[in-house]
Amino acid sequence: MLNHYGKTASFTTKIGLCMNMRNLPWYVPANPHSFFPRCYGLCSDGEKQEFLDDFRRTAASSILKWVVSHHNYSKNKPRAKKEENDEEMSQNKDQANADEKKLIDLPGQLIEVACKVCEDYLGQLEHDDIDISAESLKTLSEAEWKELVQQYYDLIHGDACISSSKTYFAQCQSILNKIMSVNPQSEIDGMKNIWILKPGAKSRGRDIVCMDRVEEIMKLVTSDNIPSKDNKWVVQKYIETPLLIYDTKFDIRQWFLVTDWNPLTIWFYKESYLRFSTQRFSLDSLDSAIHLCNNSIQKHFKNAKDRSPLLPCYNMWTSTKFQEYLQKRGRGHVWHNIIYPSMKKAITHTMKVAQDHVEARKNSFELYGADFILGKDFKPWLIEINSSPTMFPSTPVTAQLCTQVQEDTIKVVVDRKTDRNCDIGNFELLWRQPAVELPPFSGSNLFVEGFNIQKGRRHMTPITNINLGSPLPAGHMLRNKCFGSQQDQLSEQTMSSKQDVKAREDKGAPCILPMPLKRGSGRTYKISSVYTKTLSNMEFPSFAIQHLENISHKAVFPRTKTTKLVDTNILSTVSIASVLQSIRSLENPVFQPPKGSDLPSSVPAPCLICKGTFQMEKTCKRCSSFRATILQGNAYVPLNGQNSPSKRMVGSLWNF
């Protein structure tokens, strides 16, 4: 058995978990923003723009929160005691005036613009922008956005205030109540607009930083010093209002075991442990020692002197110790009613989304470690899921729990295979996907209906005759005009051939080859090559025709006499009919058209030179230069014209 699954990056990496949690509504009826802080992968321009819009909206809502909190602070501010003398009153008044002079007074228009941005955001959540164009949806221009963000920095992080904020209190309070009703993360946003920036595929808290200015975040992401393979940053909203224990931040490491992905089977461990920070919590500093609770980070720091002595020096608690802490404060029911079931639900939802991406290999299992942070309302927020969680006994807590969870894992994976009722330790079955019942079928009722598809045979057009140009006398020699070296000789013979045309016509019709061609039944011919002579760029063989037998027969073609060619560069037209009977291709056997075929002569045939199509005594549609053709099989082979057949084609054509 193997203790790992393949292709688990969809939930064990920060970038994978960030992207896949958006698909949760397609698998279960749940909102990922209810347990997973919103997250963006800054590896694409679209994601960067979405993060920028979110940062600006959060800044606008933070301005409204400042107005409400400032009004409540002023309302609850203790009044000066009546017994204070006039001298002390005057000193305090002078000090207050001096402090007000140092502050920058921002205009009340900033609150109006922030309210407009939040109202437009609420309209988008309620789908009021469906029939509105994208251009009209832009609340502010780019310059106005930059001015709003800069004034927000001055108000929250700098020395600025809004003296007329009291007049906007009711409006701001109403808008914030509406936002809280539709946005489950409005409580964890706070007013500092802090985001945590993480490398997409690193673990143990490496290179994780907290930032509160969007310009610095974009500058870090677009830095050229980062290798391209590691340039997959994830930015996630930092939880600014975490639950604190003795003014110290902590997170929870929760184990769960997957023993099968098809059907999905998840086991949840009943014991977990808390990891504390070495420093007291504060949002005034973004130091990793304050905000990152990973043991791999905190082990490099010493516990702060001002930290509560009630916390352990090794910075870990078991979940049992935490339950005792809640019980002493009258919150003992919180663990079993809110924290524990919410963590189980978050793990189940996440695994259902990742199920389709993981390699569902049998005889395998894997133990994972999920990290949660609790809000002030004790609601757990899933931060990340780690493959191969550390089992190093770094503290007394991990020395006890890590040994125990490994032993219990073996009980579930090994012992339970043979005994379903065996002891499984602190594991409990969290989820087992119900088996899908397939519809019953009987193989005997299956049948195939139809017929085979066969490739049709190409039939040759029956040709009653082939007229090779002008009628020539029986003794005249036909020659290919493509041979440039024979042009003069051919022109000399033209005059003598004209004189024999009339005598030829008196004797009978020119050379006509009936179709289909049939081999003579009684007399056979042996065609032997005498020699070949190179003409221009091709070789044209000459032949001698000899009788092998003197048996009378009924041949389709008229009986010819043995002809001895005097000129080896030309071929007798009388012998063409006999030659065509024995044409063989180098690759294919002798073609014999089907008997009794009566196809129309207008059916086009492929050209062996350019692969075009043309018909009998017509030029090729591509070559457009051939004037005479001789039938070879089911294709027309050109004999003369500008584009003469290649040497190989001629050799194949006249190979007997």
Side-chain angles (χ1 to χ4, degrees), residues 2-6 259-261 358-365:
L2 301 179
N3 65 333
H4 285 285
Y5 288 102
T259 56
D260 201 347
W261 286 95
V358 180
E359 182 180 349
R361 184 178 55 211
K362 296 297 182 180
N363 293 326
S364 303
F365 67 95

Side-chain angles (χ1 to χ4, degrees), residues 223 288 394 417 528 551:
S223 175
S288 299
S394 57
K417 276 187 171 295
S528 59
I551 304 175

Side-chain angles (χ1 to χ4, degrees), residues 460-510:
M460 188 57 211
T461 304
I463 302 176
T464 56
N465 58 11
I466 296 179
N467 192 351
L468 301 179
S470 302
L472 298 176
H476 189 77
M477 304 301 176
L478 181 64
R479 179 167 38 175
N480 195 322
K481 293 184 179 180
C482 67
F483 305 145
S485 62
Q486 301 297 326
Q487 291 294 335
D488 297 337
Q489 182 179 357
L490 181 61
S491 59
E492 293 177 359
Q493 296 179 355
T494 303
M495 297 301 297
S496 60
S497 63
K498 290 182 179 180
Q499 298 175 1
D500 299 335
V501 169
K502 187 174 182 180
R504 177 67 178 173
E505 291 178 350
D506 296 338
K507 295 181 180 179

Side-chain angles (χ1 to χ4, degrees), residues 49-62:
Q49 185 61 42
E50 291 183 9
F51 161 68
L52 181 60
D53 295 340
D54 194 338
F55 186 92
R56 291 171 173 176
R57 289 194 304 266
T58 306
S61 62
S62 298

Side-chain angles (χ1 to χ4, degrees), residues 326 382 392 624:
L326 295 175
L382 176 64
F392 184 72
S624 67

Side-chain angles (χ1 to χ4, degrees), residues 460-472 478 504 509-517 557 573-574 576-577 579-581 583 591 593 601 615-618 627-639 653-654:
M460 188 57 211
T461 304
I463 302 176
T464 56
N465 58 11
I466 296 179
N467 192 351
L468 301 179
S470 302
L472 298 176
L478 181 64
R504 177 67 178 173
C511 178
I512 298 175
L513 300 180
M515 290 297 291
L517 297 177
F557 306 101
T573 58
V574 179
I576 290 178
V579 169
L580 290 178
Q581 298 180 35
I583 290 179
F591 170 80
S601 60
Q615 299 175 356
M616 181 63 185
E617 299 184 355
K618 291 185 179 181
R627 294 182 297 179
T629 59
I630 292 181
L631 180 68
Q632 185 224 1
N634 58 348
Y636 295 96
V637 184
L639 287 181
L653 175 64
W654 296 103

Side-chain angles (χ1 to χ4, degrees), residues 12 190 266 289 376 509 528 574 589:
T12 57
I266 310 172
K376 282 186 175 181
S528 59
V574 179

Side-chain angles (χ1 to χ4, degrees), residues 374-629:
L374 302 182
K376 282 186 175 181
D377 55 355
F378 301 99
K379 183 179 179 180
W381 294 89
L382 176 64
I383 304 301
E384 62 184 17
I385 297 177
N386 300 276
S387 61
S388 301
T390 178
M391 293 292 159
F392 184 72
S394 57
T395 65
V397 173
T398 54
Q400 173 191 350
L401 293 183
C402 291
T403 303
Q404 184 179 350
V405 71
Q406 292 180 74
E407 181 179 351
D408 294 344
T409 300
I410 299 301
K411 292 178 181 179
V412 175
V413 173
V414 178
D415 297 348
R416 197 173 178 275
K417 276 187 171 295
T418 57
D419 183 9
R420 292 291 181 177
N421 298 321
C422 69
D423 178 29
I424 57 176
N426 285 326
F427 274 109
E428 64 172 331
L429 182 61
L430 172 60
W431 171 262
R432 180 175 176 83
Q433 192 176 35
V436 179
E437 296 183 0
L438 299 177
F441 67 93
S442 176
S444 59
N445 294 332
L446 297 178
F447 64 94
V448 179
E449 192 175 21
F451 55 89
N452 293 336
I453 300 177
Q454 298 181 351
K455 185 177 180 181
R457 300 178 61 184
R458 177 177 293 177
H459 298 284
M460 188 57 211
T461 304
I463 302 176
T464 56
N465 58 11
I466 296 179
N467 192 351
L468 301 179
S470 302
L472 298 176
H476 189 77
M477 304 301 176
L478 181 64
R479 179 167 38 175
N480 195 322
K481 293 184 179 180
C482 67
F483 305 145
S485 62
Q486 301 297 326
Q487 291 294 335
D488 297 337
Q489 182 179 357
L490 181 61
S491 59
E492 293 177 359
Q493 296 179 355
T494 303
M495 297 301 297
S496 60
S497 63
K498 290 182 179 180
Q499 298 175 1
D500 299 335
V501 169
K502 187 174 182 180
R504 177 67 178 173
E505 291 178 350
D506 296 338
K507 295 181 180 179
C511 178
I512 298 175
L513 300 180
M515 290 297 291
L517 297 177
K518 296 182 180 180
R519 187 181 299 275
S521 59
R523 182 182 298 272
T524 59
Y525 299 91
K526 178 180 180 182
I527 313 299
S528 59
S529 174
V530 178
Y531 66 92
T532 60
K533 183 177 181 181
T534 304
L535 299 177
S536 183
N537 295 329
M538 56 187 301
E539 294 180 4
F540 195 87
S542 61
F543 306 90
I545 303 177
Q546 299 177 355
H547 290 287
L548 299 181
E549 301 177 3
N550 292 323
I551 304 175
S552 61
H553 62 281
K554 295 181 180 180
V556 177
F557 306 101
R559 188 172 182 177
T560 58
K561 297 180 179 181
T562 304
T563 305
K564 180 69 175 180
L565 297 181
V566 178
D567 189 352
T568 60
N569 295 330
I570 54 179
L571 180 66
S572 173
T573 58
V574 179
S575 305
I576 290 178
S578 302
V579 169
L580 290 178
Q581 298 180 35
S582 304
I583 290 179
R584 287 182 181 270
S585 172
L586 289 177
E587 296 86 0
N588 303 320
V590 177
F591 170 80
Q592 290 293 343
K595 297 182 179 181
S597 61
D598 189 16
L599 299 177
S601 60
S602 61
V603 177
C607 177
L608 296 184
I609 302 302
C610 66
K611 306 302 180 182
T613 58
F614 54 100
Q615 299 175 356
M616 181 63 185
E617 299 184 355
K618 291 185 179 181
T619 59
C620 176
K621 295 180 180 179
R622 291 188 182 178
C623 301
S624 67
S625 61
F626 300 109
R627 294 182 297 179
T629 59

